Amino acid sequence: MRRYGGLIGGLMTGFLVVGCSALPGLNRNAAQAPSTPPPSPTAPSVLSGQEATAIMKDYIERNNLANKARSDKLLAAYEGGSSLAIDKAGYASSRKLRKTIKHEPFGYTSPTFYPGTGGERPWLLTLAHWQRKKDISKEATYLLFTREGDGWRQVYSPDTFDGTSPKELPAIAKDASGAATEVGQDDTGLIMSPADFARNYAAHLAGKGGKAAGTRFATDLLAKNAASKRLEMNKFARVSEVTRATRYPSYAVRTADGGALAFTTFQRDRRYDVRQRTPRFYVFQRNSGLLPGKYYTNMKTTELVQVVAHIPAKDAKPGQVKVLGSYSGLIAGSGR
């Protein structure tokens, strides 16, 4: 499901958040959704390039069909984890708005595949560029798939930040068989384990990490924008925010420099208590069926945020974690 931006605004101001809207789909009946055959018990633990290409093709076809129908059932056939939660909420918002959408096919081009080595939860990491007609994104998207009993599910899809060249992204390590290796959440060979990253970055993203966060984390667009908008919105509403790691599975993959590429999901709960004055201020979520009105007293939002970050090895210099991209969406809200 392709992502677009939305705005939370007040009188004389605006607050940027990431929304989710359905993307044009293929001109096929929703009932004709392709099915991924269940994995063979004799299949090799490392996917071939042909198998990875087939997974990607199936994902794109299912994505287009589900977006065209705005069908939660079709969506759940190829997505899981926080991707499914974010995009289901996007469908619900779109249906409430009763938007009429012109459907056109989309896809991903120039994919690079990094299959996992198997184990209890086989996975496939892909780096590709989103495409519709002749429009191709300059920035790459990470797509992380995991295998379940009846097929593959896309569970992470963070877009790298605007202006990020694919050459700036860390190389993924591969063994002799061409497989990438999963890194444990409590790995001690990194400057910060993936589990510690999830806890520490949650506080940093909410502006509660303190001065120490400035030495642990390189400047990134997500945290920078969050801090900027908190300051901007403070003129119009008292903003309180709680950000925490979630129950959705996190993953980490070994990089060629000995570090790790980590994928995790955060939940951000925000409350805006509007400052009372004349003329009256209000806050609102633009283009959202979940928060369709203007709120003159308060507004609450719940958002899921996927991030991808590079965690260097313990002896790396400089030793800072860098968040490379994100994908997020509003999943709930209320106000008066």
Side-chain angles (χ1 to χ4, degrees):
M1 188 170 185
R2 189 58 187 169
R3 285 77 77 185
Y4 296 99
L7 289 174
I8 287 179
L11 190 63
M12 302 163 57
T13 188
F15 186 78
L16 180 66
V17 296
V18 179
C20 186
S21 62
L23 184 76
L26 293 170
N27 186 24
R28 291 174 61 183
N29 188 291
Q32 294 177 296
S35 60
T36 302
S40 167
T42 60
S45 59
V46 179
L47 292 169
S48 68
Q50 184 177 6
E51 289 170 319
T53 299
I55 292 169
M56 189 71 168
K57 179 176 181 293
D58 185 61
Y59 162 69
I60 292 170
E61 290 182 354
R62 286 172 178 260
N63 199 338
N64 278 298
L65 289 167
N67 287 342
K68 181 177 181 180
R70 281 179 276 193
S71 166
D72 292 350
K73 182 178 180 180
L74 293 179
L75 182 70
Y78 71 90
E79 282 193 356
S82 56
S83 286
L84 177 60
I86 292 169
D87 290 343
K88 279 182 66 176
Y91 282 172
S93 175
S94 181
R95 286 194 295 264
K96 288 183 179 181
L97 290 174
R98 298 181 179 179
K99 283 188 173 181
T100 300
I101 300 171
K102 180 182 178 182
H103 293 280
E104 296 176 351
F106 85 104
Y108 287 93
T109 187
S110 305
T112 304
F113 299 115
Y114 304 96
T117 53
E120 294 183 359
R121 53 175 191 181
W123 49 268
L124 170 66
L125 177 62
T126 301
L127 189 64
H129 293 260
W130 179 86
Q131 179 180 18
R132 184 175 61 197
K133 293 184 176 180
K134 295 182 179 180
D135 182 16
I136 300 176
S137 174
K138 294 181 180 178
E139 293 74 31
T141 296
Y142 285 103
L143 297 163
L144 181 60
F145 301 88
T146 61
R147 193 173 72 188
E148 299 181 8
D150 61 344
W152 291 82
R153 301 288 190 280
Q154 181 265 93
V155 294
Y156 277 93
S157 61
D159 297 316
T160 56
F161 295 132
D162 288 350
T164 302
S165 166
K167 295 181 180 179
E168 299 176 57
L169 303 177
I172 306 298
K174 290 185 177 183
D175 63 18
S177 70
T181 303
E182 187 170 0
V183 176
Q185 290 298 303
D186 296 315
D187 188 285
T188 58
L190 305 170
I191 65 169
M192 185 185 299
S193 72
D196 285 340
F197 162 69
R199 288 188 288 267
N200 293 332
Y201 190 73
H204 180 54
L205 190 56
K208 300 175 182 178
K211 292 183 179 180
T215 62
R216 290 194 298 256
F217 300 108
T219 301
D220 71 85
L221 192 60
L222 187 64
K224 183 179 178 180
N225 284 349
S228 174
K229 295 307 178 181
R230 278 193 297 270
L231 181 62
E232 181 182 346
M233 285 299 291
N234 187 55
K235 294 179 284 188
F236 306 97
R238 291 183 297 276
V239 184
S240 58
E241 179 178 341
V242 175
T243 302
R244 58 182 176 83
T246 65
R247 61 179 175 81
Y248 295 106
S250 298
Y251 298 83
V253 180
R254 183 69 63 198
T255 52
D257 58 7
L261 192 67
F263 297 81
T264 195
T265 302
F266 300 99
Q267 179 173 313
R268 290 203 289 195
D269 295 297
R270 292 176 174 139
R271 178 184 172 106
Y272 305 88
D273 287 289
V274 181
R275 299 189 186 280
Q276 301 303 312
R277 54 150 290 173
T278 303
R280 296 182 68 186
F281 289 149
Y282 59 84
V283 291
F284 67 98
Q285 170 68 55
R286 183 174 293 172
N287 297 326
S288 173
L290 303 181
L291 282 166
K294 296 177 180 178
Y295 303 99
Y296 290 84
T297 302
N298 62 65
M299 183 174 72
K300 301 176 184 178
T301 64
T302 297
E303 181 185 18
L304 290 180
V305 185
Q306 296 181 350
V307 303
V308 56
H310 177 232
I311 307 176
K314 184 170 287 186
D315 58 353
K317 302 294 181 183
Q320 286 186 310
V321 179
K322 184 174 184 179
V323 175
L324 304 170
S326 69
Y327 174 41
S328 60
L330 190 72
I331 63 168
S334 63
R336 62 187 181 91

